[in-house]
Amino acid sequence: MNCPNCTTEMETVAFDGTYGNPIDVDICWACHVLWLDKRESLHLSPRGTLDLFHKVHEHRDDPRHTLTAPSQCPRCPSRLKLTHDRGKGGRFSYHSCDGCRGRLTPFSEFLKEKEFVRELTPAEKSQVAAELKSVQCSSCGAPVDVTGGFSCDHCGSPIAVLDAEAVERTLSKLHTENAERSGDPVEKEMRARVLASMETMRSHPDDHLRGNAFRRAPGGLGVDLLSASLSMLFSRF
């Protein structure tokens, strides 16, 4: 499959699904987007979801294309349309196909769909504005001048970071929904590691805005704060 945004070939990666069935996810690392066929997002297991986040984290420094307005579905002759949705964690968006029901989703929007992110607090906004002039939009990759606000002028997405409490709540929910697999030792170990990282984030909530978090993204577009806080999630892996 070729990426609808940049036309380069996407990588197909198999992740653990519910009831042991693998889920193939097509990923464009250059655009930081996922292609999910109909209902694939719902069928990722807790371990599959964490593995996907870990894989995204490994490619956090890859050169990135700005997400424009991809129009052609890579699966069928239909056209993609920008779709706004709302879940328990708030609003998120993706480019959907009415024909095959697939969707092209930026990494950051997938995190929002899984209820793993939050917007910056007023104190965090003040800290970022004092130390940075611009950041990189996690959704489309465009630069955002934080002196003028904390939403992207290109796609409208708010600047966000990983929410430690939301991650823990979501993991617990996923774990409960997949209780029949609770005896899986690998899954239990991964969940324990993530929860330990979340405790670190909760005890030091400003760490994602300090030190290495301010490492500039390739191309001088600014810091992607969501990627920086995602790095904290995998600091123990």
Side-chain angles (χ1 to χ4, degrees), residues 91-110:
R91 295 175 296 172
F92 60 95
S93 60
Y94 48 87
H95 296 268
S96 63
C97 174
D98 287 337
C100 65
R101 302 296 179 183
R103 60 171 68 175
L104 186 73
T105 307
F107 295 161
S108 61
E109 297 303 304
F110 183 75

Side-chain angles (χ1 to χ4, degrees), residues 54-207:
H54 201 176
K55 190 75 172 177
V56 168
H57 171 69
E58 290 176 350
H59 289 265
R60 65 192 181 281
D61 290 331
D62 287 8
R64 178 175 177 180
H65 299 147
T66 298
L67 188 61
T68 54
S71 59
Q72 183 62 51
C73 175
R75 292 287 196 208
C76 72
S78 302
R79 298 180 67 82
L80 298 176
K81 65 178 182 180
L82 180 61
T83 303
H84 299 282
D85 209 337
R86 179 180 290 274
K88 293 181 179 179
R91 295 175 296 172
F92 60 95
S93 60
Y94 48 87
H95 296 268
S96 63
C97 174
D98 287 337
C100 65
R101 302 296 179 183
R103 60 171 68 175
L104 186 73
T105 307
F107 295 161
S108 61
E109 297 303 304
F110 183 75
L111 286 167
K112 292 176 185 177
E113 179 184 354
K114 293 299 182 182
E115 306 171 30
F116 276 25
V117 302
R118 63 171 174 79
E119 296 183 27
L120 297 177
T121 65
E124 289 169 337
K125 289 180 179 180
S126 297
Q127 183 181 355
V128 170
E131 300 192 36
L132 299 171
K133 291 183 179 179
S134 67
V135 297
Q136 185 181 25
C137 176
S138 301
S139 295
C140 72
V144 179
D145 182 357
V146 296
T147 62
F150 285 82
S151 294
C152 177
D153 291 334
H154 181 72
C155 70
S157 295
I159 303 304
V161 293
L162 200 67
D163 184 345
E165 292 186 359
V167 170
E168 186 169 346
R169 285 197 306 270
T170 305
L171 284 175
S172 296
K173 182 182 72 173
L174 290 172
H175 185 67
T176 300
E177 291 175 352
N178 293 274
E180 68 278 3
R181 306 192 60 199
S182 61
D184 187 334
V186 176
E187 184 173 311
K188 290 177 70 175
E189 180 183 359
M190 288 189 69
R191 185 170 181 268
R193 288 182 177 183
V194 171
L195 293 179
S197 292
M198 292 302 95
E199 180 58 35
T200 299
M201 288 186 69
R202 186 163 34 250
S203 59
H204 304 294
D206 292 335
D207 280 358

Side-chain angles (χ1 to χ4, degrees), residues 11-13 15 23-27 34-36 40 44 52:
E11 179 182 357
T12 302
V13 184
F15 295 99
I23 301 296
D24 289 334
V25 179
D26 298 284
I27 306 174
L34 315 168
W35 177 264
L36 297 162
E40 279 188 335
L44 281 171
L52 175 55

